[in-house]
Amino acid sequence: AGNRKLWTWSGWFKRTTLGGVVDSLFAGFVDVNNRLRFNFHSSDTIEIFGKIGGTEVNVKTAAVFRDVSAWYHFVWVMDSAQSTAANRMKIYVNGVQITSFGTATYPAQNAESVINNNIGHFIGQRGDGASVLDGYLSEMHFINGVAKAPTDFGEFDDNGVWIPKRYSGSYGTNGFYLEFKETGTSQ
């Protein structure tokens, strides 16, 4: 186990299906009372959902994301030591922090999530075999013990388009980088 109160997850995702589908991108799962996941909701919103010690966490954007031709870059930061509830879970999309939510139930101050505990972590499904990803993933980072900014993973080009950039920091305990590069391609 590593730091369960402070970490950053970053990844690029391209959707292939809209509406009625839950696309889980990253999750930690023990049981229904100890789970946490980052996913597209069936309403095409982005959602952080789970339970930490039986207490529900549910942060769902008001905005919808329906462009199946675009790559989206997401950054999910957990910092449960923050005194302001809205600062305990942050979501960034293409370099911009999301601040408008349809649902916002944040973790308690100093709550320890199942993410980065010594349990199963899942990429492309929520942990119980359901909500399997229908899309593409790339450039996934997990950094333990630090709240990173989106600019650590991406930048705006001269045309104002958010593009990936090489991450140069450390990953901390249990951190990782998954490129998902196809054989025979170059960077």
Side-chain angles (χ1 to χ4, degrees):
N3 189 328
R4 296 166 50 204
K5 297 178 185 179
L6 177 61
W7 43 262
T8 303
W9 177 88
S10 167
W12 290 79
F13 178 64
K14 183 176 182 181
R15 302 188 75 185
T16 56
T17 306
L18 295 177
V21 177
V22 175
D23 285 321
S24 291
L25 304 176
F26 182 64
F29 183 89
V30 176
D31 56 38
V32 295
N33 288 311
N34 298 284
R35 59 188 168 147
L36 193 60
R37 70 176 184 256
F38 184 82
N39 58 259
F40 271 96
H41 188 267
S42 60
S43 62
D44 297 324
T45 57
I46 299 166
E47 175 184 51
I48 298 168
F49 179 80
K51 291 192 177 180
I52 298 175
T55 301
E56 184 171 296
V57 173
N58 191 351
V59 180
K60 189 184 313 177
T61 64
V64 295
F65 299 86
R66 294 188 174 129
D67 189 347
V68 294
S69 67
W71 281 90
Y72 293 102
H73 177 239
F74 302 111
V75 176
W76 172 21
V77 177
M78 176 161 176
D79 185 357
S80 69
Q82 295 292 320
S83 60
T84 302
N87 290 333
R88 295 180 200 145
M89 287 276 180
K90 292 182 181 177
I91 300 171
Y92 299 86
V93 179
N94 296 338
V96 178
Q97 184 177 355
I98 302 295
T99 58
S100 179
F101 297 99
T103 303
T105 306
Y106 296 97
Q109 188 171 19
N110 294 313
E112 291 191 328
S113 75
V114 296
I115 302 289
N116 211 31
N117 200 359
N118 56 350
I119 58 148
H121 287 66
F122 300 87
I123 297 168
Q125 65 120 324
R126 68 183 190 193
D128 61 359
S131 299
V132 178
L133 177 75
D134 192 3
Y136 300 95
L137 284 169
S138 184
E139 295 289 318
M140 184 181 292
H141 300 267
F142 180 76
I143 294 94
N144 182 234
V146 181
K148 291 290 187 176
T151 53
D152 287 303
F153 311 102
E155 61 192 357
F156 290 103
D157 69 10
D158 293 338
N159 297 314
V161 176
W162 186 254
I163 59 172
K165 76 175 190 183
R166 188 175 304 275
Y167 174 71
S168 61
S170 73
Y171 288 90
T173 305
N174 300 331
F176 61 81
Y177 166 60
L178 301 172
E179 188 175 16
F180 299 111
K181 185 167 82 173
E182 294 180 49
T183 304
T185 62
S186 62
Q187 286 190 357

